[in-house]
Amino acid sequence: MHFLDQAKIFVRSGAGGAGAVAFRREKFIEYGGPNGGNGGKGGDIIFEAVAGLNTLIDFRYTQHFRAPRGAGGSGQNMTGGGGDDIIIRVPVGTQVLSEDKEQVLADFTAPGERVVFLRGGDGGRGNASYKTSTNRTPRQHGTGWPGDEMWVWLRLKLLADAGLVGMPNAGKSTFINAVTNAQAKVAAYAFTTTRPQLGVVRHKHNEFVVADIPGLIEGAADGAGIGDRFLGHIERCQVLLHLVDANDKDVAESYRIVRDELEAYGGGLIDKPVVVALNKIDTLDDELIAALSAELEEASGAEVIPISGAAGTGVDWVLDKLLEVIGPGPGRVGEDDEGEDAIEWSPL
Protein backbone atom coordinates (compact mmCIF):
# COMPACT_ATOMS: atom_id res chain seq x y z
CA MET A 1 0.00 0.00 0.00
CA HIS A 2 1.36 3.43 -0.93
CA PHE A 3 1.86 5.92 1.88
CA LEU A 4 0.31 9.38 1.56
CA ASP A 5 0.08 11.77 4.50
CA GLN A 6 -1.40 14.86 2.82
CA ALA A 7 -4.37 15.28 0.51
CA LYS A 8 -6.55 18.17 -0.65
CA ILE A 9 -10.26 17.51 -1.07
CA PHE A 10 -13.44 19.42 -1.86
CA VAL A 11 -16.49 18.94 0.38
CA ARG A 12 -20.02 20.28 -0.05
CA SER A 13 -23.08 19.61 2.06
CA GLY A 14 -26.48 19.24 0.44
CA ALA A 15 -28.93 22.09 -0.03
CA GLY A 16 -32.38 21.92 1.54
CA GLY A 17 -35.33 20.93 -0.60
CA ALA A 18 -37.94 23.47 -1.68
CA GLY A 19 -41.24 23.75 0.14
CA ALA A 20 -44.41 22.88 -1.78
CA VAL A 21 -47.30 25.08 -2.82
CA ALA A 22 -50.44 22.94 -2.68
CA PHE A 23 -54.07 23.28 -1.69
CA ARG A 24 -56.51 20.78 -0.29
CA ARG A 25 -59.31 20.12 -2.79
CA GLU A 26 -61.22 16.97 -1.99
CA LYS A 27 -64.77 16.07 -2.86
CA PHE A 28 -67.23 16.31 0.03
CA ILE A 29 -64.63 18.19 2.15
CA GLU A 30 -66.28 21.51 3.00
CA TYR A 31 -63.21 23.55 3.81
CA GLY A 32 -60.00 23.42 1.80
CA GLY A 33 -56.83 25.39 2.29
CA PRO A 34 -53.06 25.26 1.86
CA ASN A 35 -51.36 21.94 2.64
CA GLY A 36 -47.95 22.20 0.99
CA GLY A 37 -45.25 20.42 3.05
CA ASN A 38 -41.75 21.56 3.91
CA GLY A 39 -38.68 20.52 1.95
CA GLY A 40 -36.24 17.95 3.29
CA LYS A 41 -32.88 18.75 4.88
CA GLY A 42 -29.74 18.39 2.79
CA GLY A 43 -27.12 15.75 3.57
CA ASP A 44 -24.28 16.45 6.01
CA ILE A 45 -20.56 16.01 5.44
CA ILE A 46 -19.27 13.86 8.31
CA PHE A 47 -15.68 12.87 9.10
CA GLU A 48 -15.11 9.67 11.05
CA ALA A 49 -11.83 8.23 12.37
CA VAL A 50 -11.47 4.50 11.86
CA ALA A 51 -8.85 2.04 13.04
CA GLY A 52 -6.79 0.01 10.59
CA LEU A 53 -5.88 2.85 8.22
CA ASN A 54 -2.47 4.52 8.13
CA THR A 55 -2.49 6.33 4.80
CA LEU A 56 -4.55 8.88 2.87
CA ILE A 57 -3.93 7.21 -0.47
CA ASP A 58 -7.67 6.79 -1.12
CA PHE A 59 -8.02 10.56 -1.42
CA ARG A 60 -5.60 10.69 -4.31
CA TYR A 61 -8.26 9.09 -6.51
CA THR A 62 -11.40 10.65 -4.98
CA GLN A 63 -11.13 14.34 -4.18
CA HIS A 64 -14.73 15.58 -4.42
CA PHE A 65 -17.43 14.76 -1.87
CA ARG A 66 -20.87 16.24 -2.49
CA ALA A 67 -23.85 15.35 -0.30
CA PRO A 68 -27.25 15.19 -2.08
CA ARG A 69 -29.86 17.88 -1.53
CA GLY A 70 -33.11 17.28 0.27
CA ALA A 71 -36.25 16.36 -1.65
CA GLY A 72 -38.98 18.92 -2.18
CA GLY A 73 -42.15 18.91 -0.10
CA SER A 74 -45.50 17.86 -1.51
CA GLY A 75 -49.20 18.18 -0.87
CA GLN A 76 -51.09 16.76 2.10
CA ASN A 77 -48.45 18.39 4.34
CA MET A 78 -45.85 15.83 3.34
CA THR A 79 -42.27 16.80 4.16
CA GLY A 80 -39.63 15.93 1.59
CA GLY A 81 -37.04 13.27 2.36
CA GLY A 82 -33.67 14.34 3.69
CA GLY A 83 -30.52 13.92 1.63
CA ASP A 84 -28.15 11.11 2.58
CA ASP A 85 -25.13 12.06 4.67
CA ILE A 86 -21.64 11.58 3.23
CA ILE A 87 -19.32 9.89 5.73
CA ILE A 88 -15.63 10.41 4.99
CA ARG A 89 -13.53 7.81 6.82
CA VAL A 90 -10.00 8.89 7.72
CA PRO A 91 -7.15 7.26 9.66
CA VAL A 92 -6.76 7.98 13.36
CA GLY A 93 -4.36 10.91 13.71
CA THR A 94 -5.77 12.88 10.77
CA GLN A 95 -6.16 16.63 10.98
CA VAL A 96 -8.51 18.65 8.78
CA LEU A 97 -6.93 21.98 7.85
CA SER A 98 -8.23 25.08 6.13
CA GLU A 99 -7.26 25.62 2.50
CA ASP A 100 -4.38 27.89 3.50
CA LYS A 101 -3.23 25.33 6.12
CA GLU A 102 -3.31 28.00 8.80
CA GLN A 103 -6.19 26.65 10.89
CA VAL A 104 -6.89 23.19 12.30
CA LEU A 105 -10.61 22.61 11.80
CA ALA A 106 -10.79 19.08 13.23
CA ASP A 107 -8.36 16.66 14.86
CA PHE A 108 -9.03 12.93 15.21
CA THR A 109 -7.01 11.15 17.89
CA ALA A 110 -9.18 8.14 18.76
CA PRO A 111 -11.03 5.47 16.76
CA GLY A 112 -14.74 6.15 16.38
CA GLU A 113 -14.49 9.93 16.67
CA ARG A 114 -17.08 11.55 14.43
CA VAL A 115 -17.57 15.21 13.53
CA VAL A 116 -20.36 16.79 11.49
CA PHE A 117 -18.06 19.00 9.49
CA LEU A 118 -20.57 20.70 7.15
CA ARG A 119 -24.25 20.65 8.01
CA GLY A 120 -26.76 20.31 5.21
CA GLY A 121 -29.14 23.18 4.50
CA ASP A 122 -32.60 23.14 6.06
CA GLY A 123 -35.58 22.55 3.82
CA GLY A 124 -37.77 25.43 2.68
CA ARG A 125 -41.16 26.04 4.21
CA GLY A 126 -44.27 24.85 2.42
CA ASN A 127 -47.18 27.22 1.89
CA ALA A 128 -49.15 25.57 4.73
CA SER A 129 -46.77 27.21 7.23
CA TYR A 130 -47.57 30.67 5.81
CA LYS A 131 -51.29 30.45 6.50
CA THR A 132 -52.66 33.17 8.80
CA SER A 133 -56.05 34.55 9.63
CA THR A 134 -55.55 37.25 7.02
CA ASN A 135 -53.69 35.17 4.45
CA ARG A 136 -55.73 32.02 3.99
CA THR A 137 -54.46 31.09 0.54
CA PRO A 138 -50.70 31.76 0.68
CA ARG A 139 -48.76 30.98 -2.42
CA GLN A 140 -45.31 31.75 -1.13
CA HIS A 141 -42.86 29.03 -0.16
CA GLY A 142 -39.21 28.64 0.83
CA THR A 143 -36.69 27.43 -1.73
CA GLY A 144 -34.48 25.73 0.86
CA TRP A 145 -31.25 26.84 2.48
CA PRO A 146 -28.04 26.25 0.54
CA GLY A 147 -25.35 23.90 1.78
CA ASP A 148 -21.78 24.88 2.62
CA GLU A 149 -18.73 24.07 0.55
CA MET A 150 -14.99 24.41 0.94
CA TRP A 151 -11.59 23.00 0.02
CA VAL A 152 -9.70 21.46 2.93
CA TRP A 153 -6.40 19.72 3.48
CA LEU A 154 -6.15 16.36 5.23
CA ARG A 155 -2.88 15.86 7.08
CA LEU A 156 -2.02 12.58 8.77
CA LYS A 157 0.11 12.53 11.89
CA LEU A 158 0.77 8.96 12.90
CA LEU A 159 0.08 8.12 16.54
CA ALA A 160 3.13 6.70 18.30
CA ASP A 161 4.51 6.70 21.83
CA ALA A 162 8.17 7.05 20.84
CA GLY A 163 9.83 8.51 17.75
CA LEU A 164 13.23 7.68 16.23
CA VAL A 165 15.35 10.57 14.98
CA GLY A 166 18.85 10.80 13.63
CA MET A 167 20.90 11.36 10.51
CA PRO A 168 20.68 9.01 7.52
CA ASN A 169 22.36 5.64 8.17
CA ALA A 170 22.21 6.10 11.95
CA GLY A 171 20.66 2.64 12.20
CA LYS A 172 17.06 3.64 12.87
CA SER A 173 15.57 1.06 10.51
CA THR A 174 17.78 -1.69 11.94
CA PHE A 175 16.69 -0.73 15.44
CA ILE A 176 12.96 -0.71 14.70
CA ASN A 177 13.29 -4.06 12.92
CA ALA A 178 15.08 -5.48 15.96
CA VAL A 179 12.53 -4.39 18.56
CA THR A 180 9.25 -4.54 16.62
CA ASN A 181 7.51 -6.54 13.91
CA ALA A 182 8.25 -3.84 11.32
CA GLN A 183 10.09 -4.74 8.14
CA ALA A 184 11.79 -1.47 7.29
CA LYS A 185 14.22 -1.42 4.39
CA VAL A 186 17.90 -1.57 5.42
CA ALA A 187 20.75 -0.80 3.00
CA ALA A 188 24.25 0.67 2.99
CA TYR A 189 23.27 4.02 1.50
CA ALA A 190 21.56 7.17 2.74
CA PHE A 191 17.79 7.68 2.77
CA THR A 192 16.80 4.04 2.57
CA THR A 193 13.79 5.12 4.64
CA THR A 194 11.58 7.28 2.44
CA ARG A 195 8.38 7.17 4.46
CA PRO A 196 7.46 6.76 8.14
CA GLN A 197 7.36 3.27 9.61
CA LEU A 198 5.38 2.10 12.63
CA GLY A 199 6.14 -0.87 14.87
CA VAL A 200 4.80 -2.26 18.14
CA VAL A 201 7.34 -2.97 20.89
CA ARG A 202 6.58 -5.70 23.41
CA HIS A 203 8.88 -5.32 26.40
CA LYS A 204 8.44 -6.55 29.97
CA HIS A 205 4.68 -7.09 29.70
CA ASN A 206 4.26 -3.66 28.08
CA GLU A 207 3.37 -2.58 24.58
CA PHE A 208 4.06 0.75 22.95
CA VAL A 209 4.32 2.08 19.39
CA VAL A 210 7.54 3.36 17.83
CA ALA A 211 7.69 5.55 14.72
CA ASP A 212 10.73 5.70 12.43
CA ILE A 213 11.02 8.68 10.07
CA PRO A 214 13.49 9.44 7.27
CA GLY A 215 16.88 10.76 8.37
CA LEU A 216 17.60 14.46 8.79
CA ILE A 217 20.59 16.28 7.33
CA GLU A 218 21.78 19.83 7.75
CA GLY A 219 19.36 22.19 6.02
CA ALA A 220 16.41 19.77 6.18
CA ALA A 221 14.19 22.64 7.37
CA ASP A 222 15.01 24.39 4.07
CA GLY A 223 14.25 21.29 1.99
CA ALA A 224 17.65 19.57 1.92
CA GLY A 225 17.48 15.80 1.52
CA ILE A 226 13.95 14.58 2.04
CA GLY A 227 13.30 17.69 4.14
CA ASP A 228 11.43 17.88 7.43
CA ARG A 229 7.86 17.20 6.24
CA PHE A 230 7.76 13.85 8.03
CA LEU A 231 8.58 15.37 11.42
CA GLY A 232 4.85 15.95 11.90
CA HIS A 233 4.50 12.21 12.50
CA ILE A 234 6.45 12.43 15.76
CA GLU A 235 4.75 15.57 17.11
CA ARG A 236 2.41 13.39 19.19
CA CYS A 237 5.18 11.18 20.60
CA GLN A 238 5.88 11.29 24.32
CA VAL A 239 9.62 10.70 23.94
CA LEU A 240 12.27 10.77 21.20
CA LEU A 241 15.06 8.25 20.75
CA HIS A 242 18.02 10.01 19.15
CA LEU A 243 20.38 7.56 17.47
CA VAL A 244 23.91 8.67 16.59
CA ASP A 245 26.16 6.57 14.36
CA ALA A 246 29.37 5.71 16.22
CA ASN A 247 31.20 5.67 12.86
CA ASP A 248 30.52 9.38 12.16
CA LYS A 249 33.58 11.62 12.03
CA ASP A 250 32.18 13.87 14.77
CA VAL A 251 29.38 12.33 16.85
CA ALA A 252 28.81 15.58 18.74
CA GLU A 253 28.32 17.49 15.49
CA SER A 254 25.93 14.82 14.20
CA TYR A 255 23.88 15.23 17.35
CA ARG A 256 23.81 19.04 17.08
CA ILE A 257 22.74 18.98 13.41
CA VAL A 258 19.65 16.93 14.16
CA ARG A 259 18.78 18.99 17.23
CA ASP A 260 19.08 22.20 15.22
CA GLU A 261 16.68 20.83 12.59
CA LEU A 262 14.17 19.83 15.27
CA GLU A 263 14.32 23.33 16.71
CA ALA A 264 13.93 24.92 13.26
CA TYR A 265 10.85 22.78 12.59
CA GLY A 266 9.12 23.75 15.84
CA GLY A 267 6.01 21.88 16.94
CA GLY A 268 7.46 21.44 20.44
CA LEU A 269 9.86 18.69 19.28
CA ILE A 270 12.92 20.31 20.85
CA ASP A 271 11.19 20.28 24.25
CA LYS A 272 10.27 16.59 24.26
CA PRO A 273 12.15 14.16 26.53
CA VAL A 274 14.97 12.51 24.63
CA VAL A 275 16.96 9.31 25.06
CA VAL A 276 20.39 9.49 23.39
CA ALA A 277 22.01 6.29 22.10
CA LEU A 278 25.35 5.72 20.40
CA ASN A 279 24.60 3.08 17.80
CA LYS A 280 26.74 0.53 15.89
CA ILE A 281 29.19 -0.07 18.73
CA ASP A 282 29.72 -3.62 17.49
CA THR A 283 32.29 -2.18 15.07
CA LEU A 284 34.40 -0.48 17.81
CA ASP A 285 36.56 -1.47 20.77
CA ASP A 286 35.65 -0.64 24.38
CA GLU A 287 38.13 2.22 24.70
CA LEU A 288 36.81 4.04 21.65
CA ILE A 289 33.21 3.41 22.73
CA ALA A 290 33.92 5.05 26.09
CA ALA A 291 35.61 8.07 24.45
CA LEU A 292 32.79 8.63 21.94
CA SER A 293 30.12 8.20 24.62
CA ALA A 294 31.84 10.83 26.78
CA GLU A 295 32.07 13.22 23.82
CA LEU A 296 28.40 12.74 22.96
CA GLU A 297 27.37 13.05 26.61
CA GLU A 298 29.14 16.41 26.85
CA ALA A 299 27.37 17.66 23.71
CA SER A 300 23.90 16.45 24.69
CA GLY A 301 24.00 16.93 28.44
CA ALA A 302 22.24 13.60 28.83
CA GLU A 303 23.18 10.04 29.62
CA VAL A 304 24.38 8.21 26.50
CA ILE A 305 23.52 4.54 26.02
CA PRO A 306 25.93 2.58 23.79
CA ILE A 307 23.97 0.09 21.70
CA SER A 308 24.08 -2.08 18.63
CA GLY A 309 20.76 -2.54 16.90
CA ALA A 310 22.21 -5.28 14.69
CA ALA A 311 23.73 -7.28 17.56
CA GLY A 312 21.08 -6.44 20.14
CA THR A 313 23.58 -4.95 22.59
CA GLY A 314 22.03 -2.39 24.96
CA VAL A 315 18.60 -2.59 23.29
CA ASP A 316 16.81 -3.63 26.49
CA TRP A 317 18.47 -0.74 28.31
CA VAL A 318 17.09 1.71 25.75
CA LEU A 319 13.60 0.20 25.95
CA ASP A 320 13.68 0.50 29.73
CA LYS A 321 14.51 4.19 29.43
CA LEU A 322 11.70 4.77 26.93
CA LEU A 323 9.21 3.02 29.22
CA GLU A 324 10.26 5.24 32.13
CA VAL A 325 9.00 8.24 30.14
CA ILE A 326 5.99 6.61 28.47
CA GLY A 327 4.79 5.00 31.69
CA PRO A 328 1.86 2.60 32.16
CA GLY A 329 -1.20 3.16 30.02
CA PRO A 330 -3.80 1.32 27.94
CA GLY A 331 -2.28 -2.01 26.93
CA ARG A 332 0.65 -1.48 29.33
CA VAL A 333 1.27 -2.51 32.92
CA GLY A 334 3.09 -0.77 35.71
CA GLU A 335 6.55 -1.58 37.03
CA ASP A 336 5.08 -3.42 40.00
CA ASP A 337 3.55 -5.97 37.61
CA GLU A 338 6.72 -6.68 35.65
CA GLY A 339 8.94 -9.76 35.76
CA GLU A 340 8.26 -13.18 37.07
CA ASP A 341 5.95 -11.95 39.82
CA ALA A 342 3.44 -10.54 37.33
CA ILE A 343 -0.05 -11.81 38.07
CA GLU A 344 -1.62 -13.54 35.11
CA TRP A 345 -5.34 -13.27 34.49
CA SER A 346 -7.38 -16.36 35.18
CA PRO A 347 -11.10 -16.99 34.66
CA LEU A 348 -11.25 -18.93 37.93
Side-chain angles (χ1 to χ4, degrees), residues 4-123:
L4 185 70
D5 61 353
Q6 291 188 40
K8 188 178 183 181
I9 64 173
F10 175 81
V11 290
R12 183 173 70 191
S13 59
V21 177
F23 294 91
R24 181 180 181 184
R25 294 187 180 90
E26 299 180 46
K27 192 175 182 180
F28 305 121
I29 300 297
E30 185 176 0
Y31 298 104
N35 68 350
N38 298 332
K41 176 182 169 296
D44 298 332
I45 295 292
I46 300 173
F47 283 100
E48 180 181 12
V50 297
L53 293 178
N54 58 4
T55 177
L56 299 174
I57 189 64
D58 291 341
F59 299 100
R60 171 170 289 179
Y61 309 106
T62 304
Q63 288 112 14
H64 295 82
F65 298 87
R66 300 180 178 90
R69 68 176 300 147
S74 58
Q76 299 182 0
N77 290 312
M78 296 178 65
T79 300
D84 294 333
D85 297 333
I86 295 293
I87 300 177
I88 303 174
R89 293 176 173 85
V90 296
V92 178
T94 300
Q95 292 181 327
V96 182
L97 309 178
S98 57
E99 187 176 6
D100 58 7
K101 296 186 177 181
E102 295 295 324
Q103 186 178 3
V104 178
L105 306 177
D107 193 0
F108 300 93
T109 58
E113 279 190 85
R114 179 181 273 218
V115 171
V116 179
F117 188 72
L118 294 180
R119 187 179 182 276
D122 291 327

Side-chain angles (χ1 to χ4, degrees), residues 16-21 37-39 123-127 129-130 139-145:
V21 177
N38 298 332
R125 294 165 56 188
N127 70 332
S129 64
Y130 288 94
R139 297 185 179 275
Q140 63 265 47
H141 70 288
T143 56
W145 293 91

Side-chain angles (χ1 to χ4, degrees), residues 216 221 228 231 240 255-272:
L216 299 172
D228 62 359
L231 284 177
L240 301 180
Y255 173 83
R256 283 191 289 266
I257 288 174
V258 174
R259 296 296 290 177
D260 288 345
E261 296 305 322
L262 295 180
E263 186 173 12
Y265 174 82
L269 295 183
I270 197 67
D271 300 320
K272 288 185 179 294

Side-chain angles (χ1 to χ4, degrees), residues 126-305:
N127 70 332
S129 64
Y130 288 94
K131 179 182 177 181
T132 65
S133 60
T134 58
N135 185 13
R136 298 191 177 187
T137 56
R139 297 185 179 275
Q140 63 265 47
H141 70 288
T143 56
W145 293 91
D148 293 323
E149 63 180 46
M150 62 190 308
W151 285 92
V152 296
W153 279 94
L154 302 181
R155 180 173 64 187
L156 175 61
K157 293 183 178 180
L158 298 176
L159 297 181
D161 300 299
L164 301 182
V165 296
M167 298 191 71
N169 278 351
K172 301 187 300 300
S173 296
T174 300
F175 180 86
I176 197 173
N177 287 346
V179 300
T180 74
N181 55 357
Q183 296 180 348
K185 183 179 180 180
V186 177
Y189 56 85
F191 299 114
T192 54
T193 300
T194 56
R195 64 182 181 87
Q197 299 276 353
L198 286 181
V200 179
V201 176
R202 294 175 176 86
H203 181 65
K204 292 185 177 179
H205 306 284
N206 291 271
E207 288 188 0
F208 60 93
V209 180
V210 173
D212 174 25
I213 64 170
L216 299 172
I217 63 174
E218 189 170 11
D222 299 320
I226 296 181
D228 62 359
R229 60 166 294 195
F230 292 117
L231 284 177
H233 294 288
I234 60 173
E235 284 186 24
R236 305 181 193 267
C237 293
Q238 300 180 49
V239 59
L240 301 180
L241 173 57
H242 190 155
L243 297 181
V244 179
D245 189 347
N247 297 304
D248 287 347
K249 293 182 179 180
D250 188 340
V251 293
E253 180 63 16
S254 297
Y255 173 83
R256 283 191 289 266
I257 288 174
V258 174
R259 296 296 290 177
D260 288 345
E261 296 305 322
L262 295 180
E263 186 173 12
Y265 174 82
L269 295 183
I270 197 67
D271 300 320
K272 288 185 179 294
V274 62
V275 175
V276 182
L278 181 68
N279 197 15
K280 303 183 182 180
I281 62 169
D282 54 304
T283 62
L284 309 176
D285 58 41
D286 293 343
E287 183 178 353
L288 185 54
I289 292 171
L292 293 176
S293 297
E295 182 181 347
L296 186 56
E297 191 166 313
E298 181 179 357
S300 64
E303 178 185 15
V304 174
I305 304 175

